[in-house]
Amino acid sequence: GEDVEQSLFLSVREGDSSVINCTYTDSSSTYLYWYKQEPGAGLQLLTYIFSNMDMKQDQRLTVLLNKKDKHLSLRIADTQTGDSAIYFCAESIKSDMRFGAGTRLTVKP
Amino acid sequence: DAGVIQSPRHEVTEMGQEVTLRCKPISGHDYLFWYRQTMMRGLELLIYFNNNVPIDDSGMPEDRFSAKMPNASFSTLKIQPSEPRDSAVYFCASSLGQELEAFFGQGTRLTVV
């Protein structure tokens, strides 16, 4: 298909790990991105991974890339209430950046 | 730089009226994107420009939608006539290159009644 797909909702308890999954479309995508949108705000780049990498870690964030399956995941360790937001997966295809619909992460105390 | 600036932040209009959304990209960025976000459909790319030239407008839903970029520092998205189903948050974003980080404005929340 032509869409970047991700589940719409995820709910976790504070302190647990969150894993947000995404499948993308184009094996030639050079970069894959995770954006975060907090309530009432625009999207902001959270992290990205170059397509020749399998994993990238940045403090509490771990990005895993499975190019064979075109699967991207974002793991947030020790999830906090401040992590509640919508998380968007995105891929770059030539000059076009395609976003998934976003996963709304709710963190319960 | 103040970032991508969109105006207005909120717009409420009656069905049938013309609506114009405005965007000022970050200075020096050569790509500009218009997105629409709804609960039902998520984030959708409407159109994007490179060096003020529209490159792909396949996401524009209907002829009622049009976008222009008369210069490197300004773009508009116009809906004429507006309909209630156009109610959404419209985001403008700009980037320095085709695969670099996109910087988003805060969005315009449009309500058509």
Side-chain angles (χ1 to χ4, degrees), chain B residues 36-52:
Chain B
R36 177 172 69 175
Q37 184 181 31
T38 60
M39 285 291 288
M40 294 297 294
R41 300 172 68 91
L43 194 67
E44 302 172 277
L45 175 66
L46 301 177
I47 185 172
Y48 75 91
F49 295 82
N50 177 217
N51 292 322
N52 314 341

Side-chain angles (χ1 to χ4, degrees), chain B residues 8-111:
Chain B
R9 288 294 310 276
H10 302 274
E11 175 83 32
V12 180
T13 191
E14 289 185 340
M15 183 173 64
Q17 296 297 307
E18 178 181 294
V19 175
T20 300
L21 311 181
R22 296 172 175 80
C23 175
K24 181 179 185 303
I26 292 174
S27 177
H29 283 190
D30 54 354
Y31 283 85
L32 184 140
F33 308 84
W34 281 101
Y35 291 91
R36 177 172 69 175
Q37 184 181 31
T38 60
M39 285 291 288
M40 294 297 294
R41 300 172 68 91
L43 194 67
E44 302 172 277
L45 175 66
L46 301 177
I47 185 172
Y48 75 91
F49 295 82
N50 177 217
N51 292 322
N52 314 341
V53 176
I55 302 300
D56 184 354
D57 64 354
S58 59
M60 297 284 262
E62 298 171 34
D63 291 344
R64 298 184 296 107
F65 286 69
S66 62
K68 294 182 179 180
M69 192 165 185
N71 57 62
S73 59
F74 184 65
S75 178
T76 59
L77 177 68
K78 186 178 293 186
I79 309 172
Q80 165 64 14
S82 58
E83 297 182 4
R85 60 193 168 116
D86 302 330
S87 298
V89 180
Y90 291 81
F91 287 101
C92 175
S94 70
S95 68
L96 192 55
Q98 61 188 36
E99 291 183 321
L100 299 180
E101 178 182 357
F103 291 81
F104 282 74
Q106 296 211 305
T108 295
R109 182 174 294 277
L110 174 65
T111 304

Side-chain angles (χ1 to χ4, degrees), chain A residues 83-96:
Chain A
D83 296 323
S84 293
I86 303 176
Y87 291 82
F88 292 86
C89 167
E91 61 172 339
S92 60
I93 304 174
K94 297 179 182 178
S95 301
D96 185 5

